[in-house]
Amino acid sequence: MALTMSDVDRFEASRPRLEAIAYRLLGSASEAEDAVQETYLRWQAADTGRIEVPEAWLTKVVTNLCLNQLTSARVRRETYVGQWLPEPLLAGDPMLGPVDTVEQRESVSYAVLVLLERLSPGERAVYVLRAAFDYPHREIAEILNISEAASQQIFHRARKHVAAGKARAEVDEAAARRIVEEFLAAATSGRTEPLVRLLTQDAVSIGDGGGKVPARTKAFEGALAVARFMRGLFKPSKARRALVGGSPEVFASTANGGPALVAVLDGRVIGVMCLEVTPEGIAAFRNQANPDKLDRATRRWAAENHGEPLLLHAF
């Protein structure tokens, strides 16, 4: 059926919320965009005059499309080359959605998106709709075709899983920025000891190259192993420069609400390293280098002013 201008406007008004839901569910901006576009096509084909609450209808459609996508994604990720990490979103990206409350900020943090991969698709949907968008369990039950009691139980279970894997208490933005700068200074010093002092004892480093960029298939674990890796990563290397096509600049930035280092070469983002900073030190480095997951970051980067880089000629 042909949509009226009112129908189109109503959908466009809902688009930011739908994209934010889809991104949190899928961990992929490109897949989230596809899910929302498919939702639009179904809205276009529907008899909108008979839909009593369009926002609820659209939320139900996009959520169930994402659930189907998550089921097939689990199969694909079994054959994914190396570690799989979510697609990072840089500061100000509208797909980050609401970040007014602690729960909303946590739900889109890079660390929690990684933890959500451990949940079943149903648990992930309930957690996202409740924690990030404050949907009442009655509405979640209608969206997922489950009982209200089941929604409450699933949320309780999912929240426990996420809480069990979360890092220690967060630090404020100024302290996080200072630690990022200290880390980069230590990483480029050529010495291991200053790096070890900045890390928690159980620190980890994970990289996602997607088979397009070399990345270790297993995580580095422990402060000493991570420090040695980081020292080598930031050591000038002709081979690495040849691999990436030059010597990138490195900026301090924010991704998914947390501190990050962004490597930029000729205006193109070639890496986003998300740091999980705690009062005890840096607990995790999650480096997204798969070019397929950095297109949106590159577009976002081009639209903003980022000041001077912390490191002019990395590698």
Side-chain angles (χ1 to χ4, degrees), residues 89-97 99 253-257 296 300-301 303-304 306:
L89 296 182
L90 299 183
D93 193 311
M95 198 175 279
L96 289 168
V99 290
S253 187
T254 302
N256 293 76
R296 188 180 180 95
R300 185 72 197 171
W301 190 262
E304 299 289 333
H306 306 283

Side-chain angles (χ1 to χ4, degrees), residues 150-181:
S151 177
Q152 293 170 338
Q153 292 170 357
I154 292 169
F155 178 68
H156 178 70
R157 185 167 64 244
R159 187 168 56 178
K160 283 181 62 177
H161 285 318
V162 172
K166 278 197 308 189
R168 288 129 293 209
E170 298 177 0
V171 298
D172 62 52
E173 186 174 344
R177 167 73 183 230
R178 186 173 64 252
I179 291 175
V180 168
E181 293 175 346

Side-chain angles (χ1 to χ4, degrees), residues 5-296:
M5 284 304 299
S6 176
D7 291 332
V8 173
D9 290 344
R10 178 161 283 178
F11 182 88
E12 291 305 323
S14 296
R15 184 185 290 274
R17 178 177 55 84
L18 298 176
E19 287 189 343
I21 291 172
Y23 172 71
R24 282 168 165 84
L25 287 174
L26 298 172
S28 166
S30 59
E31 291 181 1
E33 289 173 337
D34 290 345
V36 172
Q37 184 58 28
E38 177 61 28
T39 302
Y40 177 76
L41 295 176
R42 298 195 180 193
W43 174 247
Q44 191 176 42
D47 183 354
T48 56
R50 302 184 64 180
I51 297 175
E52 294 182 5
V53 186
E55 290 74 13
W57 187 92
L58 293 169
T59 301
K60 183 181 180 74
V61 170
V62 79
T63 299
N64 283 284
L65 284 170
C66 289
L67 287 175
N68 293 337
Q69 181 76 1
L70 280 172
T71 301
S72 61
R74 285 174 177 261
V75 176
R76 292 199 311 275
R77 288 171 193 172
E78 289 176 0
T79 59
Y80 191 81
V81 179
Q83 301 279 345
W84 186 95
L85 289 174
E87 182 175 345
L89 296 182
L90 299 183
D93 193 311
M95 198 175 279
L96 289 168
V99 290
D100 299 324
T101 68
V102 172
E103 291 79 9
Q104 288 171 341
R105 290 191 293 273
E106 282 186 345
S107 71
V108 80
S109 72
Y110 209 66
V112 168
L113 286 179
V114 171
L115 289 171
L116 291 180
E117 289 294 309
R118 303 179 186 179
L119 304 182
S120 70
E123 288 173 333
R124 187 165 182 162
V126 171
Y127 180 85
V128 165
L129 291 172
R130 181 62 180 163
F133 296 91
D134 201 29
Y135 277 88
H137 285 291
R138 174 182 54 77
E139 292 185 24
I140 296 173
E142 292 173 358
I143 290 169
L144 299 176
N145 294 321
I146 57 178
S147 70
E148 187 172 346
S151 177
Q152 293 170 338
Q153 292 170 357
I154 292 169
F155 178 68
H156 178 70
R157 185 167 64 244
R159 187 168 56 178
K160 283 181 62 177
H161 285 318
V162 172
K166 278 197 308 189
R168 288 129 293 209
E170 298 177 0
V171 298
D172 62 52
E173 186 174 344
R177 167 73 183 230
R178 186 173 64 252
I179 291 175
V180 168
E181 293 175 346
E182 290 175 359
F183 159 72
L184 196 57
T188 55
S189 71
R191 299 169 55 224
T192 303
E193 294 78 10
L195 276 167
V196 171
R197 288 196 293 270
L198 291 175
L199 309 180
T200 62
Q201 286 302 305
D202 57 352
V204 297
S205 175
I206 304 169
D208 179 349
K212 309 289 181 66
V213 174
R216 180 182 165 94
T217 56
K218 289 186 63 178
F220 289 93
E221 299 181 353
L224 184 57
V226 171
R228 286 172 173 167
F229 168 68
M230 290 297 168
R231 183 190 63 188
L233 181 65
F234 287 94
K235 182 178 180 180
S237 164
K238 289 183 179 179
R240 193 175 297 113
R241 286 196 295 271
L243 184 66
V244 302
S247 186
E249 297 175 329
V250 176
F251 295 79
S253 187
T254 302
N256 293 76
L261 290 171
V262 179
V264 181
L265 181 64
D266 298 330
R268 178 171 54 91
V269 174
I270 64 168
V272 177
M273 181 182 287
C274 298
L275 282 68
E276 191 174 325
V277 178
T278 74
E280 291 80 24
I282 303 172
F285 300 87
R286 298 182 177 95
N287 185 31
Q288 183 54 260
N290 183 346
D292 294 342
K293 298 181 183 181
L294 295 173
D295 283 344
R296 188 180 180 95

